[in-house]
Structure formats: structure tokens, C-alpha cells
């Protein structure tokens, strides 16, 4: 068994265990929901319990690895060769409202590059896994991106950051512009599910700003191993800490990148 396969199997163990926790809390949160600062940026008892399970499993197997987790923050030397990026509940607002789009996302960066990823949607029993050179799967079966090659025939997904009320750089103009040019733009409220949806061919492209490494680390390697492409908006190499990501099936990447960089401001719309 290769080292990457071992990492993938342990990440899978952690994601499945966290999924059990999320299933147990679903619909039973009562008053255990608070805001972390910005309106709509929620944290629940389920987030914390799910993360605790993931951390325990990873620490037990890889005590020398470092961690970047949404709720616990930085654990260990962030320049470590091995850095786990963890979102124990991606789609907390959905979860709090029992809207059925949320997941556990566990990614491993090796020397700064995503190399292992597991995304688990416990409500729909969908387990997405990937590791560099080992392919991408949904429920243990290989997946690949769509073959849609025209923007006008594509279906896209996007999202809106928690600071959308505070900045004009809020993705509203991009959303309107691309809604006009495609067959539609959807919003799930979960970046990891959006990336998994591109990877398995359900949608053709995804872009978003305001993202953290734990939102996208697992999804990046999943999409790459499924044959897709991930870059910055302008097509340059992605910087995982930049907060912005463009992910597609590869066929529409250049044209979607072009449109994203040419979007007129909303003030000019009539």
C-alpha cells in the first residue's frame, strides 16, 4: 500500500465517523447555533463535535502532521510538509435549516499542494475520494468530469461569501453575467459539494471568492483526478490562500475565465 493510499484510507475513516456525528445532530440543534462574527456565519454544536472526531482520528494516526481546521484553527507548524485542511461541516447554514446540502471535507496538502481529498455527504450517502495519481471516485466507483464544451450549454455553480453585505466585490455581477450566458447558475451553499459536482459531471464549472483552504483542499484534488482544471480566475496557477477559485471540466475553462475577468460592474447594468 502506498503512503497516499494510507492517507486516503485514514481520511475516509475520519470523514465517515464525522458523518455519523452530523446525522445524529441533524434536526436536534435547538439553541446550539451561534454566529461567529458576520451575519450568517454560523457555528453549531455539530460543527464542533464533528471536528473533534476528525482531529482525534488524525492525531492518533499522524501525530506529527499539522492541521488547519475551520473551528480549531491552526494546530502545529503550518509549514509542515503534511498539513490537513478540515471543514467538519461545510454548509453549516444549510445544516442549521435542514436544507439538504452539507458535507465533511478533509484534504491533505503535501508541501503546499492538495494531494488527498475526501468529501462525505452523509445525508445522501455519497463518499467522494481522491489522491494524486490514484484517480477519483464516488462511492468507490470512478468518476470523471463532463464533456460540455460550449459555455452556452453549460450549467454552473457558485456561492457568495459572508462579507457580501460589506463589499461591492461580492460576486453578484459575476452571477448575473454568467446566468445570461449559460443554461443556469446554481448555488448549493457548500463549496466542497460544488467541487464534487463538477468532478462527477453533474455541473460543468464553479467559481467563488471568499474561500478558505479547508473549503477547497479536498475538492481540488478530487476535481483534478477526475480530469478537471483548477486555477485562479484569470487562468494563472491557483494560490490556495487567495480565496478565489475557478474550477471546470477543462473544456469551458478558458472562456469562463475570460468572462469572469470581463464582467461589467452592476452599476452599468440596465
Amino acid at each position: 500500500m502506498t503512503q497516499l493510499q494510507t492517507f486516503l484510507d485514514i481520511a475516509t475513516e475520519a470523514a465517515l465517523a464525522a458523518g455519523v456525528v452530523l446525522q445524529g445532530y441533524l434536526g436536534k440543534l435547538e439553541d446550539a447555533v451561534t454566529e461567529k462574527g458576520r451575519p450568517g456565519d454560523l457555528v453549531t454544536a455539530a460543527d464542533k463535535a464533528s471536528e473533534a472526531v476528525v482531529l482525534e482520528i488524525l492525531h492518533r494516526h499522524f501525530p506529527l502532521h499539522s492541521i488547519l481546521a475551520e473551528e480549531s484553527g491552526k494546530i502545529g507548524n503550518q509549514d509542515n510538509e503534511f498539513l490537513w485542511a478540515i471543514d467538519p461541516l461545510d454548509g453549516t447554514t444549510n445544516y442549521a435549516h435542514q436544507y439538504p446540502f452539507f458535507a465533511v471535507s478533509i484534504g491533505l496538502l503535501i508541501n503546499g499542494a492538495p494531494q488527498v481529498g475526501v468529501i462525505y455527504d452523509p445525508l445522501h450517502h455519497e463518499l467522494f475520494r481522491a489522491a494524486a495519481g490514484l484517480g477519483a471516485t464516488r462511492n468507490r466507483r470512478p468518476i470523471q468530469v463532463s464533456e460540455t464544451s460550449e459555455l452556452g450549454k453549460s450549467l454552473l455553480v457558485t456561492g457568495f461569501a459572508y462579507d457580501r453585505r460589506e463589499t461591492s466585490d461580492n460576486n453578484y455581477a459575476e452571477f448575473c453575467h454568467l446566468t445570461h450566458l449559460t443554461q443556469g447558475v446554481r448555488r448549493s451553499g457548500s463549496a466542497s459539494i460544488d467541487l464534487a459536482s463538477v468532478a462527477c459531471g453533474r455541473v460543468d464549472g464553479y467559481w467563488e471568492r471568499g474561500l478558505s483552504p479547508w473549503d477547497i483542499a479536498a475538492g481540488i484534488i478530487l476535481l483534478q483526478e477526475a480530469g478537471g482544471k483548477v486555477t485562479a480566475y484569470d487562468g494563472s496557477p491557483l494560490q490556495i490562500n487567495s480565496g478565489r477559485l475557478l474550477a471546470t471540466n477543462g473544456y469551458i475553462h478558458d472562456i469562463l475565465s475570460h468572462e469572469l475577468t470581463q464582467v461589467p460592474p452592476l452599476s452599468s447594468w440596465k
Side-chain angles (χ1 to χ4, degrees), residues 139-151:
N139 293 345
R140 314 283 178 163
R141 295 189 176 185
I143 57 173
Q144 62 182 24
V145 295
S146 71
E147 296 182 357
T148 302
S149 59
E150 297 177 38
L151 191 61

Side-chain angles (χ1 to χ4, degrees), residues 130-214:
L134 300 180
T137 63
R138 170 191 168 272
N139 293 345
R140 314 283 178 163
R141 295 189 176 185
I143 57 173
Q144 62 182 24
V145 295
S146 71
E147 296 182 357
T148 302
S149 59
E150 297 177 38
L151 191 61
K153 294 181 179 180
S154 69
L155 179 65
L156 307 180
V157 283
T158 192
F160 302 94
Y162 294 118
D163 67 354
R164 60 189 178 273
R165 300 171 180 85
E166 306 158 16
T167 176
S168 59
D169 180 21
N170 52 24
N171 199 31
Y172 294 168
E174 291 88 336
F175 175 82
C176 293
H177 181 70
L178 288 165
T179 295
H180 282 206
L181 297 179
T182 64
Q183 291 188 345
V185 179
R186 304 290 184 253
R187 184 199 182 191
S188 78
S190 170
S192 61
I193 287 181
D194 289 341
L195 283 163
S197 295
V198 181
C200 70
R202 289 174 180 159
V203 297
D204 309 300
Y206 162 64
W207 84 95
E208 192 169 346
R209 60 165 295 277
L211 297 163
S212 297
W214 54 71

